[in-house]
Amino acid sequence: MNKRSIEILVGLFVVLGAAGLLFLALKAANLGSLVNGGQTYTVQARFDNIGGLKPRAPVRSAGVNVGRVTSVTLDAQTFQGLVTMEVNQGFLFPKDSSAKILTAGLLGDQYIGIEPGGAETNLAPGDVITQTQSAMVLENLIGQFLFNRAADSGTGSAD
């Protein structure tokens, strides 16, 4: 092989490596699902505690990505977390579906899980999911466990 063909192969290898890094960066930032062409509808849900949920977090149903979170705000009247989600048009959920904030693994990122209901009519753009379950915050669970253990050890009777 002459020097020119080696330089072309090295250049091609560098371009493929850059394309791979770009793909990895898009997947890590959860931006790889932007290829749907904007065919989504927006729904909202209110939660008492959103934990560490962030915009661009996935929305999943049965483990399948069906959309993503677009914004997380505080409702000034109810003081609840208001989560706005974009759901792909191909996934129509019944009006009585429920939304939960779940965690991927023990300490993983949080996402919205939608469980379909049984209603005849589907969620429309702008609808609010009324049946919600807030995030389980690990710090609160540990604090509650320690408090209960301390209370149990303080009330023990001597036999």
Side-chain angles (χ1 to χ4, degrees):
M1 293 181 88
N2 62 15
K3 187 175 180 179
R4 179 121 174 110
S5 62
I6 290 175
E7 289 176 353
I8 291 173
L9 286 175
V10 169
L12 183 63
F13 181 74
V14 169
V15 168
L16 287 175
L21 286 175
L22 178 66
F23 175 76
L24 184 63
L26 288 176
K27 281 299 196 183
N30 196 20
L31 295 175
S33 61
L34 292 178
V35 295
N36 63 2
Q39 300 171 354
T40 61
Y41 62 98
T42 303
V43 294
Q44 294 180 330
R46 297 177 193 279
F47 296 94
D48 291 328
N49 187 348
I50 61 157
L53 187 71
K54 295 179 176 65
R56 291 195 313 263
V59 176
R60 297 181 179 149
S61 182
V64 177
N65 281 354
V66 296
R68 67 179 178 170
V69 174
T70 56
S71 71
V72 178
T73 59
L74 181 68
D75 186 348
Q77 276 93 24
T78 63
F79 298 105
Q80 291 180 312
L82 180 63
V83 177
T84 305
M85 302 167 265
E86 286 183 348
V87 179
N88 295 338
Q89 284 283 352
F91 303 105
L92 299 175
F93 292 97
K95 272 199 180 285
D96 63 344
S97 297
S98 63
K100 297 179 181 180
I101 298 178
L102 302 169
T103 304
L106 184 61
L107 297 173
D109 288 335
Q110 292 186 323
Y111 65 94
I112 299 283
I114 297 180
E115 290 187 16
E120 295 289 325
T121 58
N122 292 327
L123 287 170
D127 280 352
V128 177
I129 298 174
T130 56
Q131 298 178 28
T132 60
Q133 180 179 336
S134 295
M136 297 292 282
V137 181
L138 186 60
E139 292 86 2
N140 292 345
L141 292 174
I142 292 172
Q144 185 178 9
F145 174 75
L146 292 175
F147 179 77
N148 288 341
R149 293 293 275 176
D152 289 345
S153 66
T155 60
S157 60
D159 286 341

